[in-house]
Structure formats: structure tokens, C-alpha cells
Amino acid sequence: MMEMISELNNLSESRIVPVQVRSLTLGDSVPKICVPVVASDPEQLEKALTRLEGTRDFYDLVELRADICPFDGTRELSESLRRLRKAVGDKPILFTFRTKEEGGNREVSFDSYREMNLCAAQEGADLVDLQLSMMEGDRMSLLSDIHGRGARVIGSFHDFHGTPPADELVKKMAGMQMAGFDITKIAVMPKDREDVLELLFASVQMQEEWADRPFITMSMGSLGSMTRVCGTFSGSCITFGTIGGESAPGQLKAEVLRTVLPSLL
């Protein structure tokens, strides 16, 4: 940790530079609401997209969770992304394939993972989530390849078994920042209230000492649900809410977030 602190010492006085995605500004101290699209079959996917068309006021961007949706190859993925764009209009689209290792629904080879993420960037996804566990060694070239297709990249780390110490969480976010990810993300599972405070402490420390770009943090499950509404305090630039199915435990309804968040600014 001391080496990281030494290397990043020049960031301690820097300010977070917001990221502009279409007309949406991330990192301007106002947390944005992201709604996940989850479906087990084509019929459910169509219903989810129809709901999004009628509820645009409740969210700022959408996340297509490809590991939870019924895609068989890039052709179906491309068609779904085009349909999603029609449903959400000019709102940004985040593409995510979460592996089982970090709480997702499916395993996938790196070649398939790479192909899907590149396809999403090519087909108009504004943001692509790349989990840190899939990006070791020469796999980091995927980051620049997605940038080359015009999409921004979120680097993410998920721990569904516990909450690492705050200094480890800060080190992971700072490392992703140094690697060139546009936004960094940490999601952990609390076992008690102290774990929730550990996540919040890491968030505030990141915001005040190391962050030069937007980041996302959350403590999952019902115990950590408070972290989904305190982005203005913690520095987290996106909170995930539901219109239909949830993609992670503890997500609140987007309609509730839209009502509550303005009163916490």
C-alpha cells in the first residue's frame, strides 16, 4: 500500500474530472441512477424493454446484463442492443457480462468475453464494464481496444463473500485508475455494520485523497442498502436501482431512488 501511496502522492491535491457520456455527466457530485436489464428468455427481455420505454423519468442510464439475458452469440446481442437503444432513447447504455466468479450467472472463456465486449462497444454501448479478474497480463489490451471503438470503460471488482479492509479497496481502485479505466467500481458484501462503514471509509478516502476520475462503490444486500443512497456523501457516482428484476442483492426501486436522492444533495 505504501508503494501505491508514494506513486499516487501527486493525486492527493487533484480534483475528480467528470466523465461525459452523451448528455450525462458522471462524477459531478450528483449520483446517477442506473437500471439493470435482466431477463431469462426473449419474452421477458421484451417486457423489460417495454417497461423502460414508459419509465424514462426514473433512471439516467441502463445496464444490459448479458450474463442474465438469453443471448446466444453476438448476432442476438447486436439485435438486443439496437432494440435497447430504441427503448431508452439518448440515455447511455452500460454493457456488462458478469462471470460467476464475481456474482454473475454464467462462466465464459476470455475469448468469448472479449468478443462480446467488443461487439457491445461496436454496436453503440456507451460504457463497458470489465471486471478486474478477467484483465490480467496481456488481456489488458481489451481496454484500449474498447476505447478504440468509442466506448468508456468501467473497471470493476466484486466480493460476494465479504468486505476487504479499506486500504485494500482503495488500492484496488487506485490501481484500476492507474491502468487507464475511465471509472472504477467496487462492490462488496457486508457481514455486519462495521463492514458497511469500512466500505464508506474507503469511498471517502478515495474521494478525498486519490481519485482523479469518477468511481462507484456499494455495500450489497439489505445491510448495505444505505450505501445506495449516499453517493453525495461517499463520492460514488452511480447507484443501481430496479425497474423489474434486480441484478445484485440490496438494489432499491429506481422510483424510490428518484424520490429520495434529491433530498440528500
Side-chain angles (χ1 to χ4, degrees), residues 172-224:
K172 283 187 180 296
M173 284 189 282
M176 288 188 282
Q177 184 171 277
M178 290 180 65
F181 291 99
D182 302 291
I183 299 169
T184 64
K185 178 186 176 187
I186 293 282
V188 294
M189 185 64 73
K191 295 180 180 178
D192 50 37
R193 290 183 295 177
E194 285 74 14
D195 280 349
V196 177
L197 294 176
E198 193 78 8
L199 181 279
L200 289 175
F201 179 74
S203 303
V204 172
Q205 186 178 7
M206 185 67 186
Q207 180 188 38
E208 294 185 347
E209 299 182 25
W210 312 116
D212 65 355
R213 65 201 65 189
F215 63 87
I216 306 163
T217 57
M218 68 200 69
S219 188
M220 296 181 285
S222 57
L223 191 59

Short mmCIF file of all heavy atoms in Angstrom, two decimals, residues 172-224:
data_model
loop_
_atom_site.label_atom_id
_atom_site.label_comp_id
_atom_site.label_asym_id
_atom_site.label_seq_id
_atom_site.Cartn_x
_atom_site.Cartn_y
_atom_site.Cartn_z
N LYS A 172 -7.12 -1.17 -4.77
CA LYS A 172 -7.70 -1.73 -6.00
C LYS A 172 -8.23 -0.62 -6.90
O LYS A 172 -8.01 -0.62 -8.12
CB LYS A 172 -8.80 -2.72 -5.65
CG LYS A 172 -8.30 -4.07 -5.18
CD LYS A 172 -9.43 -5.06 -5.03
CE LYS A 172 -8.91 -6.41 -4.56
NZ LYS A 172 -8.01 -7.05 -5.56
N MET A 173 -8.95 0.35 -6.31
CA MET A 173 -9.48 1.45 -7.12
C MET A 173 -8.37 2.30 -7.71
O MET A 173 -8.41 2.68 -8.88
CB MET A 173 -10.44 2.30 -6.28
CG MET A 173 -11.79 1.67 -6.06
SD MET A 173 -13.00 2.79 -5.29
CE MET A 173 -12.46 2.73 -3.59
N ALA A 174 -7.36 2.59 -6.90
CA ALA A 174 -6.25 3.39 -7.39
C ALA A 174 -5.49 2.65 -8.49
O ALA A 174 -5.05 3.26 -9.47
CB ALA A 174 -5.31 3.73 -6.23
N GLY A 175 -5.33 1.33 -8.34
CA GLY A 175 -4.66 0.54 -9.36
C GLY A 175 -5.42 0.54 -10.67
O GLY A 175 -4.82 0.66 -11.75
N MET A 176 -6.74 0.42 -10.62
CA MET A 176 -7.55 0.46 -11.83
C MET A 176 -7.47 1.84 -12.48
O MET A 176 -7.44 1.98 -13.70
CB MET A 176 -9.00 0.09 -11.52
CG MET A 176 -9.20 -1.39 -11.22
SD MET A 176 -10.95 -1.88 -11.08
CE MET A 176 -11.35 -1.30 -9.44
N GLN A 177 -7.42 2.86 -11.64
CA GLN A 177 -7.29 4.23 -12.14
C GLN A 177 -5.97 4.39 -12.90
O GLN A 177 -5.94 4.94 -14.01
CB GLN A 177 -7.35 5.17 -10.93
CG GLN A 177 -7.34 6.64 -11.25
CD GLN A 177 -7.62 7.47 -10.02
OE1 GLN A 177 -8.77 7.67 -9.66
NE2 GLN A 177 -6.59 7.96 -9.36
N MET A 178 -4.89 3.88 -12.32
CA MET A 178 -3.58 3.97 -12.96
C MET A 178 -3.52 3.16 -14.25
O MET A 178 -2.78 3.50 -15.18
CB MET A 178 -2.49 3.51 -12.00
CG MET A 178 -2.26 4.45 -10.83
SD MET A 178 -0.97 3.83 -9.73
CE MET A 178 0.45 3.90 -10.80
N ALA A 179 -4.30 2.09 -14.32
CA ALA A 179 -4.29 1.22 -15.50
C ALA A 179 -5.03 1.84 -16.68
O ALA A 179 -4.92 1.35 -17.81
CB ALA A 179 -4.91 -0.14 -15.16
N GLY A 180 -5.79 2.90 -16.44
CA GLY A 180 -6.45 3.60 -17.54
C GLY A 180 -7.94 3.42 -17.66
O GLY A 180 -8.54 3.89 -18.63
N PHE A 181 -8.57 2.76 -16.68
CA PHE A 181 -10.03 2.66 -16.70
C PHE A 181 -10.62 4.05 -16.49
O PHE A 181 -10.11 4.84 -15.70
CB PHE A 181 -10.52 1.71 -15.61
CG PHE A 181 -10.17 0.27 -15.86
CD1 PHE A 181 -9.08 -0.31 -15.23
CD2 PHE A 181 -10.93 -0.50 -16.72
CE1 PHE A 181 -8.75 -1.64 -15.47
CE2 PHE A 181 -10.61 -1.83 -16.97
CZ PHE A 181 -9.51 -2.40 -16.34
N ASP A 182 -11.71 4.34 -17.18
CA ASP A 182 -12.32 5.67 -17.09
C ASP A 182 -13.06 5.89 -15.78
O ASP A 182 -13.16 7.01 -15.28
CB ASP A 182 -13.30 5.87 -18.26
CG ASP A 182 -12.60 5.71 -19.60
OD1 ASP A 182 -11.78 6.58 -19.95
OD2 ASP A 182 -12.86 4.71 -20.30
N ILE A 183 -13.63 4.81 -15.24
CA ILE A 183 -14.36 4.83 -13.98
C ILE A 183 -13.98 3.55 -13.25
O ILE A 183 -13.78 2.51 -13.88
CB ILE A 183 -15.89 4.87 -14.22
CG1 ILE A 183 -16.28 6.15 -14.98
CG2 ILE A 183 -16.68 4.80 -12.92
CD1 ILE A 183 -17.72 6.15 -15.49
N THR A 184 -13.87 3.60 -11.94
CA THR A 184 -13.57 2.39 -11.16
C THR A 184 -14.77 2.02 -10.29
O THR A 184 -15.54 2.89 -9.88
CB THR A 184 -12.32 2.59 -10.29
OG1 THR A 184 -12.58 3.61 -9.30
CG2 THR A 184 -11.13 3.03 -11.13
N LYS A 185 -14.89 0.73 -10.02
CA LYS A 185 -16.06 0.26 -9.28
C LYS A 185 -15.67 -0.84 -8.28
O LYS A 185 -14.93 -1.76 -8.62
CB LYS A 185 -17.12 -0.30 -10.24
CG LYS A 185 -18.36 -0.87 -9.55
CD LYS A 185 -19.30 -1.52 -10.54
CE LYS A 185 -20.48 -2.17 -9.83
NZ LYS A 185 -21.33 -2.96 -10.75
N ILE A 186 -16.21 -0.72 -7.07
CA ILE A 186 -16.01 -1.72 -6.02
C ILE A 186 -17.38 -2.07 -5.44
O ILE A 186 -18.16 -1.18 -5.08
CB ILE A 186 -15.12 -1.17 -4.89
CG1 ILE A 186 -13.69 -0.95 -5.38
CG2 ILE A 186 -15.15 -2.11 -3.69
CD1 ILE A 186 -12.86 -2.18 -5.49
N ALA A 187 -17.70 -3.37 -5.36
CA ALA A 187 -18.93 -3.83 -4.71
C ALA A 187 -18.57 -4.98 -3.76
O ALA A 187 -17.91 -5.93 -4.18
CB ALA A 187 -19.95 -4.29 -5.74
N VAL A 188 -18.98 -4.87 -2.51
CA VAL A 188 -18.61 -5.87 -1.50
C VAL A 188 -19.83 -6.31 -0.71
O VAL A 188 -20.87 -5.63 -0.71
CB VAL A 188 -17.54 -5.30 -0.55
CG1 VAL A 188 -16.23 -5.04 -1.29
CG2 VAL A 188 -18.02 -4.02 0.13
N MET A 189 -19.70 -7.44 -0.03
CA MET A 189 -20.80 -7.97 0.77
C MET A 189 -20.48 -7.79 2.26
O MET A 189 -19.46 -8.30 2.74
CB MET A 189 -21.01 -9.46 0.47
CG MET A 189 -22.22 -10.05 1.17
SD MET A 189 -23.79 -9.32 0.64
CE MET A 189 -23.95 -10.05 -1.00
N PRO A 190 -21.32 -7.08 2.99
CA PRO A 190 -21.07 -6.88 4.42
C PRO A 190 -21.59 -8.04 5.27
O PRO A 190 -22.60 -8.66 4.94
CB PRO A 190 -21.86 -5.61 4.73
CG PRO A 190 -23.04 -5.70 3.81
CD PRO A 190 -22.52 -6.35 2.54
N LYS A 191 -20.89 -8.33 6.35
CA LYS A 191 -21.34 -9.32 7.32
C LYS A 191 -21.91 -8.65 8.56
O LYS A 191 -22.61 -9.28 9.35
CB LYS A 191 -20.19 -10.24 7.69
CG LYS A 191 -19.69 -11.08 6.52
CD LYS A 191 -18.54 -11.99 6.92
CE LYS A 191 -18.07 -12.82 5.73
NZ LYS A 191 -16.91 -13.69 6.07
N ASP A 192 -21.57 -7.38 8.74
CA ASP A 192 -22.08 -6.61 9.88
C ASP A 192 -21.99 -5.12 9.56
O ASP A 192 -21.53 -4.73 8.48
CB ASP A 192 -21.28 -6.93 11.16
CG ASP A 192 -19.77 -6.84 10.96
OD1 ASP A 192 -19.32 -5.94 10.21
OD2 ASP A 192 -19.04 -7.67 11.52
N ARG A 193 -22.42 -4.29 10.48
CA ARG A 193 -22.43 -2.85 10.24
C ARG A 193 -21.02 -2.28 10.07
O ARG A 193 -20.82 -1.32 9.33
CB ARG A 193 -23.15 -2.13 11.38
CG ARG A 193 -24.66 -2.39 11.40
CD ARG A 193 -25.34 -1.62 12.50
NE ARG A 193 -24.91 -2.07 13.82
CZ ARG A 193 -25.31 -1.53 14.96
NH1 ARG A 193 -26.16 -0.49 14.95
NH2 ARG A 193 -24.90 -1.99 16.12
N GLU A 194 -20.06 -2.90 10.75
CA GLU A 194 -18.68 -2.43 10.62
C GLU A 194 -18.18 -2.57 9.19
O GLU A 194 -17.42 -1.72 8.70
CB GLU A 194 -17.78 -3.21 11.59
CG GLU A 194 -17.91 -2.80 13.05
CD GLU A 194 -19.20 -3.32 13.69
OE1 GLU A 194 -19.85 -4.21 13.09
OE2 GLU A 194 -19.55 -2.83 14.79
N ASP A 195 -18.63 -3.62 8.49
CA ASP A 195 -18.24 -3.79 7.10
C ASP A 195 -18.80 -2.68 6.22
O ASP A 195 -18.15 -2.22 5.29
CB ASP A 195 -18.72 -5.15 6.57
CG ASP A 195 -17.81 -6.29 6.99
OD1 ASP A 195 -16.71 -6.03 7.51
OD2 ASP A 195 -18.21 -7.46 6.80
N VAL A 196 -20.03 -2.27 6.51
CA VAL A 196 -20.63 -1.17 5.74
C VAL A 196 -19.82 0.11 5.96
O VAL A 196 -19.52 0.85 5.00
CB VAL A 196 -22.10 -0.95 6.15
CG1 VAL A 196 -22.69 0.24 5.40
CG2 VAL A 196 -22.92 -2.21 5.89
N LEU A 197 -19.43 0.36 7.20
CA LEU A 197 -18.63 1.54 7.49
C LEU A 197 -17.24 1.44 6.84
O LEU A 197 -16.68 2.46 6.43
CB LEU A 197 -18.49 1.71 9.01
CG LEU A 197 -19.78 2.04 9.76
CD1 LEU A 197 -19.53 2.09 11.27
CD2 LEU A 197 -20.36 3.36 9.29
N GLU A 198 -16.71 0.23 6.73
CA GLU A 198 -15.41 0.04 6.08
C GLU A 198 -15.48 0.46 4.61
O GLU A 198 -14.58 1.13 4.09
CB GLU A 198 -14.98 -1.42 6.20
CG GLU A 198 -13.53 -1.70 5.85
CD GLU A 198 -12.57 -1.31 6.96
OE1 GLU A 198 -13.03 -0.97 8.08
OE2 GLU A 198 -11.36 -1.33 6.72
N LEU A 199 -16.56 0.07 3.94
CA LEU A 199 -16.75 0.46 2.53
C LEU A 199 -16.90 1.97 2.41
O LEU A 199 -16.30 2.60 1.53
CB LEU A 199 -17.98 -0.27 1.97
CG LEU A 199 -18.41 -0.07 0.51
CD1 LEU A 199 -19.20 1.20 0.29
CD2 LEU A 199 -17.22 -0.13 -0.44
N LEU A 200 -17.67 2.57 3.31
CA LEU A 200 -17.86 4.02 3.25
C LEU A 200 -16.55 4.76 3.55
O LEU A 200 -16.24 5.77 2.93
CB LEU A 200 -18.94 4.45 4.23
CG LEU A 200 -20.38 4.06 3.86
CD1 LEU A 200 -21.34 4.44 4.98
CD2 LEU A 200 -20.80 4.72 2.56
N PHE A 201 -15.77 4.23 4.48
CA PHE A 201 -14.48 4.86 4.79
C PHE A 201 -13.56 4.80 3.58
O PHE A 201 -12.90 5.80 3.25
CB PHE A 201 -13.83 4.16 5.98
CG PHE A 201 -12.50 4.74 6.35
CD1 PHE A 201 -12.40 5.97 7.00
CD2 PHE A 201 -11.32 4.07 6.04
CE1 PHE A 201 -11.17 6.51 7.33
CE2 PHE A 201 -10.08 4.60 6.36
CZ PHE A 201 -10.01 5.83 7.01
N ALA A 202 -13.54 3.66 2.90
CA ALA A 202 -12.72 3.53 1.70
C ALA A 202 -13.16 4.52 0.63
O ALA A 202 -12.34 5.12 -0.08
CB ALA A 202 -12.78 2.10 1.17
N SER A 203 -14.47 4.70 0.49
CA SER A 203 -15.02 5.60 -0.52
C SER A 203 -14.61 7.04 -0.25
O SER A 203 -14.16 7.76 -1.15
CB SER A 203 -16.55 5.50 -0.54
OG SER A 203 -16.97 4.19 -0.78
N VAL A 204 -14.76 7.47 0.99
CA VAL A 204 -14.41 8.84 1.34
C VAL A 204 -12.90 9.06 1.20
O VAL A 204 -12.45 10.11 0.72
CB VAL A 204 -14.88 9.17 2.77
CG1 VAL A 204 -14.36 10.53 3.23
CG2 VAL A 204 -16.41 9.14 2.85
N GLN A 205 -12.11 8.07 1.60
CA GLN A 205 -10.67 8.19 1.46
C GLN A 205 -10.27 8.29 -0.01
O GLN A 205 -9.41 9.11 -0.38
CB GLN A 205 -9.98 6.98 2.10
CG GLN A 205 -8.47 7.08 2.13
CD GLN A 205 -7.81 5.91 2.81
OE1 GLN A 205 -8.47 4.93 3.16
NE2 GLN A 205 -6.50 5.98 3.00
N MET A 206 -10.92 7.49 -0.85
CA MET A 206 -10.63 7.55 -2.28
C MET A 206 -10.99 8.93 -2.83
O MET A 206 -10.22 9.54 -3.58
CB MET A 206 -11.43 6.46 -3.00
CG MET A 206 -11.12 6.35 -4.49
SD MET A 206 -9.44 5.75 -4.77
CE MET A 206 -9.35 5.89 -6.56
N GLN A 207 -12.15 9.41 -2.46
CA GLN A 207 -12.61 10.71 -2.96
C GLN A 207 -11.70 11.85 -2.53
O GLN A 207 -11.35 12.73 -3.33
CB GLN A 207 -14.03 10.98 -2.46
CG GLN A 207 -14.61 12.31 -2.93
CD GLN A 207 -15.94 12.61 -2.25
OE1 GLN A 207 -16.12 12.32 -1.06
NE2 GLN A 207 -16.87 13.16 -2.99
N GLU A 208 -11.28 11.84 -1.28
CA GLU A 208 -10.54 12.98 -0.74
C GLU A 208 -9.05 12.93 -1.06
O GLU A 208 -8.39 13.98 -1.08
CB GLU A 208 -10.74 13.05 0.78
CG GLU A 208 -12.17 13.38 1.18
CD GLU A 208 -12.32 13.57 2.68
OE1 GLU A 208 -11.36 13.22 3.42
OE2 GLU A 208 -13.37 14.07 3.11
N GLU A 209 -8.48 11.72 -1.29
CA GLU A 209 -7.03 11.63 -1.40
C GLU A 209 -6.50 11.13 -2.74
O GLU A 209 -5.40 11.51 -3.15
CB GLU A 209 -6.49 10.72 -0.29
CG GLU A 209 -6.79 11.24 1.11
CD GLU A 209 -6.20 10.35 2.18
OE1 GLU A 209 -5.22 9.64 1.89
OE2 GLU A 209 -6.73 10.33 3.30
N TRP A 210 -7.27 10.25 -3.44
CA TRP A 210 -6.65 9.59 -4.59
C TRP A 210 -7.39 9.74 -5.92
O TRP A 210 -6.77 9.65 -6.98
CB TRP A 210 -6.50 8.08 -4.31
CG TRP A 210 -5.88 7.82 -2.98
CD1 TRP A 210 -6.45 7.18 -1.92
CD2 TRP A 210 -4.57 8.19 -2.55
NE1 TRP A 210 -5.59 7.14 -0.86
CE2 TRP A 210 -4.43 7.76 -1.23
CE3 TRP A 210 -3.52 8.86 -3.17
CZ2 TRP A 210 -3.26 7.97 -0.50
CZ3 TRP A 210 -2.35 9.07 -2.46
CH2 TRP A 210 -2.23 8.63 -1.14
N ALA A 211 -8.68 9.94 -5.88
CA ALA A 211 -9.46 9.89 -7.13
C ALA A 211 -9.19 11.09 -8.03
O ALA A 211 -9.28 12.24 -7.59
CB ALA A 211 -10.94 9.79 -6.81
N ASP A 212 -8.90 10.81 -9.30
CA ASP A 212 -8.84 11.87 -10.30
C ASP A 212 -9.89 11.65 -11.37
O ASP A 212 -9.93 12.35 -12.37
CB ASP A 212 -7.44 11.97 -10.93
CG ASP A 212 -7.07 10.73 -11.74
OD1 ASP A 212 -7.84 9.74 -11.74
OD2 ASP A 212 -5.99 10.75 -12.37
N ARG A 213 -10.75 10.66 -11.15
CA ARG A 213 -11.84 10.35 -12.07
C ARG A 213 -12.98 9.73 -11.27
O ARG A 213 -12.80 9.35 -10.11
CB ARG A 213 -11.36 9.39 -13.15
CG ARG A 213 -10.95 8.02 -12.66
CD ARG A 213 -10.04 7.31 -13.64
NE ARG A 213 -8.77 8.04 -13.75
CZ ARG A 213 -7.84 7.76 -14.67
NH1 ARG A 213 -8.02 6.79 -15.54
NH2 ARG A 213 -6.72 8.45 -14.71
N PRO A 214 -14.17 9.60 -11.84
CA PRO A 214 -15.32 9.08 -11.08
C PRO A 214 -15.11 7.63 -10.65
O PRO A 214 -14.39 6.86 -11.29
CB PRO A 214 -16.47 9.19 -12.08
CG PRO A 214 -16.04 10.22 -13.06
CD PRO A 214 -14.56 10.05 -13.19
N PHE A 215 -15.77 7.27 -9.56
CA PHE A 215 -15.76 5.89 -9.08
C PHE A 215 -17.14 5.52 -8.55
O PHE A 215 -17.98 6.38 -8.28
CB PHE A 215 -14.68 5.68 -8.02
CG PHE A 215 -14.88 6.47 -6.75
CD1 PHE A 215 -15.67 5.99 -5.71
CD2 PHE A 215 -14.28 7.73 -6.59
CE1 PHE A 215 -15.85 6.71 -4.55
CE2 PHE A 215 -14.46 8.47 -5.44
CZ PHE A 215 -15.24 7.95 -4.41
N ILE A 216 -17.36 4.22 -8.43
CA ILE A 216 -18.62 3.66 -7.94
C ILE A 216 -18.30 2.72 -6.80
O ILE A 216 -17.43 1.85 -6.94
CB ILE A 216 -19.35 2.88 -9.05
CG1 ILE A 216 -19.55 3.75 -10.30
CG2 ILE A 216 -20.70 2.36 -8.55
CD1 ILE A 216 -19.90 2.92 -11.54
N THR A 217 -18.99 2.86 -5.68
CA THR A 217 -18.82 1.93 -4.57
C THR A 217 -20.19 1.56 -4.00
O THR A 217 -21.12 2.37 -4.02
CB THR A 217 -17.96 2.51 -3.44
OG1 THR A 217 -18.56 3.73 -2.96
CG2 THR A 217 -16.55 2.79 -3.91
N MET A 218 -20.27 0.35 -3.48
CA MET A 218 -21.51 -0.07 -2.83
C MET A 218 -21.25 -1.25 -1.92
O MET A 218 -20.35 -2.07 -2.17
CB MET A 218 -22.58 -0.43 -3.85
CG MET A 218 -22.30 -1.68 -4.65
SD MET A 218 -23.24 -1.75 -6.17
CE MET A 218 -22.46 -0.42 -7.10
N SER A 219 -22.01 -1.32 -0.85
CA SER A 219 -22.07 -2.48 0.02
C SER A 219 -23.40 -3.16 -0.29
O SER A 219 -24.45 -2.51 -0.28
CB SER A 219 -22.01 -2.03 1.48
OG SER A 219 -21.88 -3.12 2.36
N MET A 220 -23.36 -4.44 -0.62
CA MET A 220 -24.55 -5.12 -1.14
C MET A 220 -25.43 -5.69 -0.04
O MET A 220 -25.10 -5.64 1.14
CB MET A 220 -24.11 -6.23 -2.12
CG MET A 220 -23.41 -5.70 -3.36
SD MET A 220 -22.91 -7.00 -4.53
CE MET A 220 -21.48 -7.69 -3.68
N GLY A 221 -26.57 -6.26 -0.46
CA GLY A 221 -27.52 -6.85 0.47
C GLY A 221 -28.32 -5.80 1.23
O GLY A 221 -28.07 -4.59 1.11
N SER A 222 -29.29 -6.26 2.01
CA SER A 222 -30.13 -5.33 2.76
C SER A 222 -29.31 -4.53 3.77
O SER A 222 -29.60 -3.35 4.02
CB SER A 222 -31.25 -6.09 3.48
OG SER A 222 -30.72 -7.08 4.34
N LEU A 223 -28.28 -5.13 4.33
CA LEU A 223 -27.45 -4.45 5.31
C LEU A 223 -26.73 -3.25 4.69
O LEU A 223 -26.54 -2.22 5.34
CB LEU A 223 -26.43 -5.43 5.90
CG LEU A 223 -25.65 -4.98 7.13
CD1 LEU A 223 -26.58 -4.64 8.29
CD2 LEU A 223 -24.68 -6.09 7.55
N GLY A 224 -26.36 -3.39 3.43
CA GLY A 224 -25.61 -2.31 2.78
C GLY A 224 -26.46 -1.36 1.96
O GLY A 224 -25.91 -0.50 1.24
#
